[in-house]
Amino acid sequence: MSTRPGAAKPAARQAARERLRALDADARRDASARVCAHLAAREVVLRDAAARVGGGEPVAMLYLPLPGEVDVEPLARQWLAAGWTVCFPRVGWGSGAMEAAAIAAAGGLDSELEVSEHGVRMPGAACRGVEIGRVGVVLTPGLAFDTHGGRLGRGGGFYDRFLSGLAPGARVIGVAFSAQVVERVPIEAHDRIMDAVVTEQGWWADGVGPAD
């Protein structure tokens, strides 16, 4: 008898955490820089896609990395300097909702963030919320991904709920170390499939990759 995808997720998460623990700090730092370089190389294409969704304004939601995640903060600074509206997740722990909140400038990464009661960095109350329908690119972390765009999150459902509200045409990109990419992750009906997954080795889409 096959295991239901939902029942298989706890073991898959544990295996993913063990793979992440095997990466040392130097490896994570070097791989993060290479991931950012791959994303920067497609900045024009992503900008055009985001602008079509945002009514001419390129809006992206990145993330503030938890320990062990790919660090995309250098990319956030680059995109802010290039004229993007850059948002980060702001979580309502009681409601279970997550919204995109914009920072005003690159300096906001140093001055506009606060640490929640759960120890997670996020935009402060003064940062303006951005309508989800205007977000054209979402860089999405996770514990594991597969080469067809499947994503295994941490189990809170915040990204699942957020991604379900995006406008048609929004690009959802999984961001990971190559050690996090497996043949298949357990997928349920509510799980959003990534349009592509980018690692330090390159891009994966529809089972094909890694490509520059």
Side-chain angles (χ1 to χ4, degrees):
M1 180 182 297
S2 61
T3 303
R4 291 182 296 105
K9 285 183 175 181
R13 290 189 178 101
Q14 181 60 32
R17 291 187 177 98
E18 290 174 1
R19 290 192 297 272
L20 279 173
R21 281 196 291 268
L23 297 175
D24 64 34
D26 288 340
R28 289 196 299 269
R29 182 175 59 253
D30 292 345
S32 291
R34 291 166 65 187
V35 170
C36 288
H38 285 301
L39 285 160
R42 296 197 182 186
E43 190 264 339
V44 173
V45 174
L46 294 173
R47 171 192 285 270
D48 289 346
R52 286 194 293 272
V53 173
E57 178 187 10
V59 181
M61 188 171 87
L62 282 65
Y63 62 90
L64 296 159
L66 296 173
E69 291 181 341
V70 174
D71 184 1
V72 295
E73 288 188 42
L75 184 76
R77 296 179 188 275
Q78 292 176 27
W79 283 9
L80 280 162
W84 285 73
T85 296
V86 172
C87 306
F88 293 103
R90 184 163 56 197
V91 173
W93 300 105
S95 66
M98 185 170 78
E99 69 170 340
I103 60 172
L109 284 165
D110 303 311
S111 63
E112 296 180 43
L113 303 179
E114 61 184 30
V115 179
S116 76
E117 65 268 29
H118 294 275
V120 176
R121 292 185 301 153
M122 64 178 63
C127 295
R128 66 181 176 91
V130 175
E131 182 185 350
I132 191 171
R134 293 176 52 225
V135 179
V137 171
V138 182
L139 300 189
T140 311
L143 285 174
F145 296 86
D146 65 37
T147 60
H148 294 268
R151 171 183 175 269
L152 180 67
R154 295 177 180 270
F158 291 101
Y159 272 95
D160 291 328
R161 290 185 288 272
F162 180 85
L163 297 176
S164 69
L166 292 172
R171 298 291 305 277
V172 182
I173 300 168
V175 181
F177 299 113
S178 58
Q180 295 175 265
V181 178
V182 298
E183 184 176 354
R184 288 288 185 183
V185 298
I187 293 296
E188 298 179 271
H190 64 266
D191 292 320
R192 170 69 182 255
I193 300 299
M194 305 290 102
D195 296 303
V197 177
V198 60
T199 76
E200 74 275 15
Q201 295 179 348
W203 293 79
W204 289 90
D206 298 325
V208 178
D212 293 335

